[in-house]
């Protein structure tokens, strides 16, 4: 290869995306999620490869051989197959990025029912902070009934005879 | 040059120099400047204002957390999951009070006498405090008034949010009595010039509304406005110096461009939280103090405590939406007592806890994946959460040391945070998990998840108070046994950690210390 630019990027990273998305779906299966969040996470992972030759090598090799392995066993990339490579460097790297990326995606928040920032809407004060209605409303004040919290059980009172009192 | 706020004080003027502006440092600065005593405050972080805070978990964390390199060692799971993040501590003006949620229980009388009450426990380095609850009680009052704790001094309770309804409902069913929505350091009604909570759910991210107390919204601005305070932000202390007689006399610090400066001092108050404070004293070794400043006892950096913690997330059929509202406005005190028939010494609290989707994913069970993990996440809107927080035992081998094999961005040795659970800690955590399961099952949970301890938010004990110089680093008012004029003003001072969240006690001790310092300065005795 004479062109140094093509030598440093032997394959366009985009080619890895479909396999990576299949892997992400198998490792983080959410029946309700469309492909969008997985695709965005895959892109974040692939973008990081430009900065890190070791991760690029490990991930390209890992993904290619994972597809091969799935094909050989006549199955899809699934959780069972992934358990067998749980400790592989490339899969660790993928998990590390995914857990802070897939779940930091506003579409995922919505899918999971998390509304996020509320200050700009006046908080949740008038937007359901106390709308749970399947339990009775509990006491919010401190207990003022007849019982006392026994701070120290009788059998844990220090012995009067203890030498350290001297 | 770094940013400077307030009234400049000459670097050659021997001032009271306070290192850190969090719970301890911010309080000391406020108390001393109100008494007319000039203070220089050196703060490693920048001054963020409420408008700067981000209601987004990762964005806020990356904006505010102390992310300088640290290393870990020992048997705790953090060494695997978060090897460079042993603690969740904040590097901004206000320190970790900007992220704190607000639970403010007091320590109990027996908790000041751990050695007398728990006896000789193998592997533990227990000691009684040199002070008692009665010494601290008046300062607890002052601290609760400063913080505006709910349920105290006429401050009303916060209302029940969704997570609390599940928590308190379960508590009632299993026979707990001592539960409430506080005491909690966020306004239920306007107080002290700050508004009532709007239940926005972002306590851990600075609180844009300022309903939550922090030294960044109360003590530090008041100190700066007093005309007696020179606050220098993005200035990190790297050494405390002493004179030929062994008295503290100055602080070397780096500005944000890495230039070294020296501020002369007649009193130095170290308040960098329990990892940076011992690191600073270890970095301040001299020919008079070859093992680190004020370390004749060998206890500097030892007895590091991080509270016995764990969380439980319970899944229900019906919606909970735990993230709406005040994060920790729910406290059960029934287990905060000493009864070794439970199989461990010391007590613990249960407190409501909620994480957003981003943090729950990262922390619910680090490293897990597959359906077992996504089931937990899929149930997010139907999940309730609580935190177990109890006393862990001081152990000499749990300690902060200088790791000279790893350097921070300035070329200084990083702190290594070594920690092993004591069997007592493990027994307490298991008991807490069990009680939380019962509590949630009593209101219909169809599954619970036991989450291991997070990077520590409560870091304590590494420069502990002791009556005798050979047992600890500082005396009853926080002055080093070995170095006159050197005080410790943060959570490092704790002889034992008690079950309670520490901040109220840190603030109470700091108010008491400031009164003592002012008194002695007034008498020409410092
Ligand atoms: C998410 C979260 C929730 C919490 N919730 C609660 C709660 O509900 N109740 C409770 O009681 N506690 C809570 N805490 C704990 C509480 O925030 C801390 O216990 C308390 O703030 C510690 O006070 P401190 O003075 O020891 O240190 P900090 O408040 O951490 O202040 C230390 C300051 O020193 C600065 N510093 C460090 N080293 C240097 C140096 N060398 N030079 C200059 N500056 C330096 C730091 O930047 C920081 O600003 C919580 C903490 C977190 C992170």
């Amino acid at each position: 290869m004479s062109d140094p630019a093509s030598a440093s990027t032997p394959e366009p990273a985009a080619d890895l995306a479909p396999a990576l998305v299949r892997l992400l779906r198998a490792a983080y299966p959410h029946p309700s999620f469309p492909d969008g969040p997985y695709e965005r996470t895959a892109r974040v992972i692939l973008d990081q490869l430009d900065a890190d030759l070791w991760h690029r090598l490990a991930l390209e090799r890992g993904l290619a051989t994972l597809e091969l392995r799935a094909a050989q066993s006549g199955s899809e990339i699934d959780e069972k197959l992934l358990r067998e490579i749980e400790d592989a460097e490339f899969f660790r790297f993928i998990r590390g990025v995914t857990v802070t990326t897939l779940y930091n995606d506003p579409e995922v928040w919505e899918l999971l029912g998390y509304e996020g920032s509320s200050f700009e809407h006046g908080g949740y004060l008038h937007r359901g902070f106390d709308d749970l209605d399947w339990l009775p409303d509990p006491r919010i004040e401190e207990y003022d009934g007849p019982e006392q919290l026994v701070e120290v059980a009788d059998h844990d009172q220090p012995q009067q005879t203890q030498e350290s009192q001297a | 040059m770094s940013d400077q706020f307030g009234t400049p004080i000459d670097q050659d003027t021997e001032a009271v120099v306070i290192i850190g502006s969090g719970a301890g440092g911010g309080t000391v600065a406020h108390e001393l400047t109100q008494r007319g005593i000039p203070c220089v405050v050196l703060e490693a972080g920048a001054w963020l204002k409420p408008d700067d805070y981000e209601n987004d978990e990762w964005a806020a964390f990356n904006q505010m957390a102390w992310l300088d390199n640290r290393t870990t060692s020992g048997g705790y799971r953090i060494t695997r999951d978060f090897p460079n993040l042993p603690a969740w501590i904040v590097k901004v003006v206000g320190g970790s009070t900007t992220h704190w949620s607000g639970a403010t229980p007091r320590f109990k009388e027996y908790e000041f006498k751990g050695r007398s009450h728990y006896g000789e426990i193998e592997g533990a380095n227990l000691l009684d405090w040199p002070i008692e609850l009665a010494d601290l009680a008046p300062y607890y009052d002052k601290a609760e008034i400063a913080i505006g704790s709910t349920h105290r001094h006429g401050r009303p309770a916060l209302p029940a949010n969704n997570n609390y309804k599940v928590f308190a409902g379960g508590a009632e069913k299993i026979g707990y009595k001592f539960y409430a929505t506080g005491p909690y350091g966020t306004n239920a009604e306007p107080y002290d010039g700050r508004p009532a909570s709007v239940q926005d759910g972002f306590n851990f991210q600075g609180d844009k509304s300022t309903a939550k107390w922090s030294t960044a919204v109360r003590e530090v601005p008041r100190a700066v406005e007093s005309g007696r305070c020179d606050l220098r932000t993005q200035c990190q202390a790297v050494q405390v110096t002493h004179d030929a007689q062994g008295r503290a006399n100055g602080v070397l610090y780096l500005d944000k461009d890495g230039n070294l400066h020296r501020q002369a001092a007649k009193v130095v108050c170290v308040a960098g939280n329990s990892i940076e404070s011992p690191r600073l004293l270890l970095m301040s070794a001299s020919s008079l103090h070859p093992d680190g400043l004020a370390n004749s006892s060998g206890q500097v950096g030892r007895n590091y405590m991080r509270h016995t913690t764990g969380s439980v997330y319970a899944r229900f059929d019906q919606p909970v939406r735990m993230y709406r509202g005040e994060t920790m406005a729910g406290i059960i005190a029934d287990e905060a007592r000493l009864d070794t028939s439970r199989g461990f010494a010391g007590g613990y609290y249960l407190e409501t806890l909620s994480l957003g989707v981003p943090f729950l994913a990262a922390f619910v069970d680090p490293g897990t994946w597959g359906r077992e993990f996504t089931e937990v996440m899929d149930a997010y809107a139907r999940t309730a959460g609580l935190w177990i927080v109890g006393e862990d035992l001081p152990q000499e081998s749990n300690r902060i040391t200088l790791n000279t094999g790893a350097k921070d961005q300035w070329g200084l040795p990083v702190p290594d945070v070594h920690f092993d659970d004591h069997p007592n800690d493990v027994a307490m955590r298991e008991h807490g998990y069990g009680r939380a399961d019962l509590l949630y099952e009593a209101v219909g949970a169809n599954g619970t998840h036991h989450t291991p301890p997070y990077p520590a938010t409560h870091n304590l004990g590494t420069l502990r108070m002791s009556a005798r110089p050979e047992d600890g680093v500082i005396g009853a008012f926080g002055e080093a046994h070995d170095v006159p004029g050197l005080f410790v003003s943060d959570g490092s001072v704790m002889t034992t950690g008690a079950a309670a969240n520490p901040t109220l006690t840190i603030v109470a001790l700091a108010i008491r210390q400031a009164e003592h310092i002012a008194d002695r300065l007034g008498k020409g005795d410092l």
Side-chain angles (χ1 to χ4, degrees):
Chain A
M1 293 234 206
S2 54
D3 178 359
S6 70
S8 66
T9 51
E11 276 169 68
D15 287 352
L16 297 172
L20 186 52
V21 168
R22 282 196 292 281
L23 180 151
L24 291 176
R25 265 209 176 280
Y28 295 89
H30 289 281
S32 66
F33 287 15
D35 281 341
Y38 293 106
E39 285 166 0
R40 285 190 288 277
T41 297
R43 203 167 311 135
V44 170
I45 294 170
L46 294 173
D47 282 349
Q48 296 197 7
L49 299 183
D50 292 336
D52 192 327
L53 178 63
W54 164 232
H55 280 141
R56 167 176 292 283
L57 289 173
L59 187 92
E60 287 183 350
R61 186 83 192 130
L63 274 181
T65 49
L66 188 66
E67 298 259 281
L68 194 68
R69 198 160 158 171
Q72 278 171 356
S73 62
S75 69
E76 304 273 295
I77 297 179
D78 60 10
E79 190 172 329
K80 182 163 164 287
L81 189 68
L82 291 174
R83 287 281 164 212
E84 292 167 20
I85 59 147
E86 178 150 16
D87 294 326
E89 167 72 17
F90 85 100
F91 188 36
R92 280 176 181 281
F93 167 66
I94 288 171
R95 294 200 306 265
V97 179
T98 303
V99 84
T100 54
T101 307
L102 182 63
Y103 299 98
N104 205 25
D105 182 311
E107 188 183 351
V108 162
W109 297 352
E110 208 176 311
L111 288 160
L112 295 178
Y114 173 56
E115 297 157 291
S117 177
S118 71
F119 181 73
E120 63 278 23
H121 310 296
Y124 290 111
L125 185 60
H126 304 296
R127 296 167 59 246
F129 86 101
D130 62 350
D131 66 356
L132 186 149
D133 58 6
W134 50 272
L135 285 170
D137 280 340
R139 162 166 64 76
I140 58 173
E141 298 294 344
E142 292 178 304
Y143 176 76
D144 66 353
E147 282 183 43
Q148 295 281 319
L149 182 76
V150 179
E151 287 189 5
V152 179
D154 284 346
H155 53 263
D156 288 310
Q157 292 293 351
Q159 307 287 301
Q160 289 309 321
T161 55
Q162 202 169 304
E163 21 71 70
S164 67
Q165 303 294 318
Chain B
M1 221 356 231
S2 305
D3 287 328
Q4 191 276 338
F5 301 88
T7 310
I9 292 175
D10 197 84
Q11 291 194 337
D12 296 325
T13 302
E14 291 194 339
V16 175
V17 181
I18 299 166
I19 298 166
S21 63
T27 299
V28 171
H30 175 242
E31 294 291 326
L32 289 179
T33 52
Q34 299 309 305
R35 290 177 170 85
I37 296 166
C39 296
V40 173
V41 178
L42 302 172
E43 167 53 56
W47 197 349
L48 298 181
K49 299 291 165 61
D51 277 349
D52 302 322
Y53 297 148
E54 304 249 19
N55 278 359
D56 174 306
E57 290 181 313
W58 283 120
F61 183 81
N62 289 323
Q63 181 190 39
M64 300 168 82
W66 187 285
L67 299 172
D68 297 5
N69 192 23
R70 287 172 171 157
T71 59
T72 51
S73 57
Y76 65 151
R77 197 173 140 178
I78 295 287
T79 60
R80 184 194 88 187
D81 297 334
F82 304 102
N84 301 109
L85 191 71
W88 179 1
I89 296 179
V90 181
K91 187 204 254 189
V92 295
V93 168
S96 307
T97 65
T98 59
H99 271 215
W100 87 314
S101 35
T104 57
R106 294 185 180 195
F107 285 18
K108 294 174 190 297
E109 182 157 9
Y110 77 87
E111 292 175 316
F112 288 91
K113 299 177 180 136
R115 177 64 184 80
S116 303
H117 274 89
Y118 307 168
E120 183 80 53
I121 298 181
E122 198 184 330
N125 190 25
L126 281 164
L127 188 70
D128 290 352
W129 288 60
I131 59 172
E132 306 188 8
L133 179 61
D135 297 312
L136 211 50
Y139 301 95
Y140 269 139
D141 288 337
K142 290 182 204 273
E144 285 161 349
I145 290 165
I147 290 172
S149 295
T150 63
H151 301 83
R152 300 284 178 270
H153 312 287
R155 307 262 63 73
L158 278 155
N161 62 25
N162 291 337
N163 201 25
Y164 179 79
K165 288 187 185 181
V166 180
F167 177 82
E172 184 67 34
K173 283 237 159 109
I174 65 170
Y176 282 157
K177 298 258 169 337
F178 303 96
Y179 63 83
T181 57
Y184 192 74
T186 291
N187 294 343
E189 63 178 24
Y191 174 67
D192 206 18
R194 291 179 290 110
S197 168
V198 293
Q199 305 281 348
D200 65 34
F202 282 84
N203 297 69
F204 285 175
Q205 285 71 28
D207 185 25
K208 293 176 86 69
S209 82
T210 72
K212 178 181 87 169
W213 172 86
S214 74
T215 56
V217 298
R218 187 177 188 274
E219 281 70 12
V220 176
R222 290 182 190 186
V224 165
E225 284 154 21
S226 72
R228 297 282 177 183
C229 179
D230 178 343
L231 167 65
R232 300 178 200 158
T233 59
Q234 292 174 283
C235 286
Q236 184 168 334
V238 296
Q239 238 173 24
V240 177
T241 60
H242 60 75
D243 64 16
Q245 284 73 47
R247 297 184 47 85
N249 73 348
V251 178
L252 294 181
Y253 66 95
L254 293 166
D255 65 27
K256 72 167 180 249
D257 302 316
N259 303 309
L260 206 53
H261 301 259
R262 180 173 187 279
Q263 174 64 50
K266 65 179 152 213
V267 170
V268 175
C269 294
V270 179
N273 206 321
S274 295
I275 297 176
E276 292 308 315
S277 289
R279 178 191 185 210
L280 178 63
L281 296 197
L282 291 171
M283 290 198 304
S284 303
S286 68
S287 301
L288 291 188
H289 294 268
D291 301 321
L293 192 61
N295 196 19
S296 70
S297 65
Q299 296 293 313
V300 168
R302 293 189 185 272
N303 312 303
Y304 168 65
M305 295 172 287
R306 60 198 310 279
H307 267 149
T308 294
T309 66
S311 323
V312 177
Y313 293 96
R315 276 170 273 168
F316 295 85
D317 292 331
Q318 316 230 45
V320 176
R321 301 197 179 276
M322 64 175 169
Y323 57 86
R324 290 182 182 167
E326 290 297 333
T327 308
M328 202 166 262
I331 300 176
I332 297 172
D334 294 68
E335 302 288 355
R337 58 198 168 88
L338 174 61
D339 178 358
T340 50
S341 71
R342 293 178 299 179
F344 53 88
Y348 65 89
Y349 289 88
L350 300 172
E351 299 173 350
T352 54
L353 177 65
S354 158
L355 297 179
V357 162
F359 271 19
L360 193 70
F363 296 111
V364 73
D365 202 347
T368 57
W369 55 279
R371 192 61 192 139
E372 134 196 42
F373 171 74
T374 56
E375 263 175 356
V376 172
M377 298 308 296
D378 278 338
Y380 182 75
R382 294 177 283 115
T383 297
L386 66 72
W387 199 47
I388 301 159
V389 53
E391 178 163 9
D392 60 335
L393 296 182
Q395 301 180 67
E396 269 203 307
S397 53
N398 286 343
R399 66 187 291 209
I400 314 304
T401 53
L402 296 182
N403 181 349
T404 49
K407 298 279 154 66
D408 69 7
Q409 66 271 37
W410 309 115
L412 300 168
V414 308
D416 182 74
V417 181
H418 183 97
F419 189 86
D420 290 293
D421 276 318
H422 189 280
N424 194 78
D425 308 342
V426 178
M428 179 186 290
R429 183 178 299 119
E430 288 305 319
H431 192 270
Y433 283 146
R435 299 303 291 175
D437 285 351
L438 288 178
L439 180 152
Y440 282 132
E441 282 158 12
V443 279
N446 45 40
T448 61
H449 193 92
H450 295 173
T451 291
Y454 309 114
T457 54
H458 299 174
N459 298 277
L460 308 168
T462 50
L463 299 168
R464 73 178 181 182
M465 257 187 204
S466 64
R468 303 187 313 166
E470 52 270 42
D471 295 329
V473 181
I474 57 174
F477 287 97
E479 189 172 17
H481 290 303
D482 302 345
V483 182
L486 172 64
F487 287 79
V488 181
S489 318
D490 62 11
S492 324
V493 306
M494 299 214 180
T495 311
T496 51
N501 314 54
T503 305
L504 179 76
T505 303
I506 295 172
V507 171
L509 287 166
I511 296 173
R512 177 172 170 271
Q513 177 183 78
E515 195 180 278
H516 170 85
I517 291 173
D519 230 46
R520 285 190 35 208
L521 284 172
K523 288 188 206 137
D525 186 24
L526 257 177

